[in-house]
Amino acid sequence: TPVGGVPELVEHGRTGILAQNAPGLAAGLLELAQEPGRRHAMGGLARERALDRHSAGALGAGLEAHYQAVLGR
């Protein structure tokens, strides 16, 4: 479901499926169960997105950039 930080991690239709309710979740799960290639591709893209945005290196670089901005550098 698109609540909290989930939409930051999951891009609907690209890195996963965001459902608004139980029937939508069931439909999304069925769709991915029937399409292993799409499921695998989404998983790969989701992994890339998570590493690009949330790895220790990415978080450290973001924090450093924030500190540099605060210090006016």
Side-chain angles (χ1 to χ4, degrees):
T1 58
V3 297
V6 174
E8 184 178 338
L9 293 171
V10 179
E11 181 182 347
H12 182 72
R14 185 167 186 272
T15 63
I17 294 177
L18 295 173
Q20 298 293 334
N21 51 37
L25 176 60
L29 290 172
L30 183 59
E31 179 182 327
L32 292 178
Q34 293 173 341
E35 298 182 42
R38 182 168 181 233
R39 182 177 67 240
H40 182 75
M42 279 185 168
L45 291 171
R47 182 178 191 282
E48 287 178 24
R49 182 180 176 110
L51 291 175
D52 287 346
R53 294 178 176 212
H54 303 286
S55 68
L59 295 174
L63 186 58
E64 182 180 3
H66 175 72
Y67 283 135
Q68 293 295 338
V70 169
L71 296 173
R73 296 185 193 171

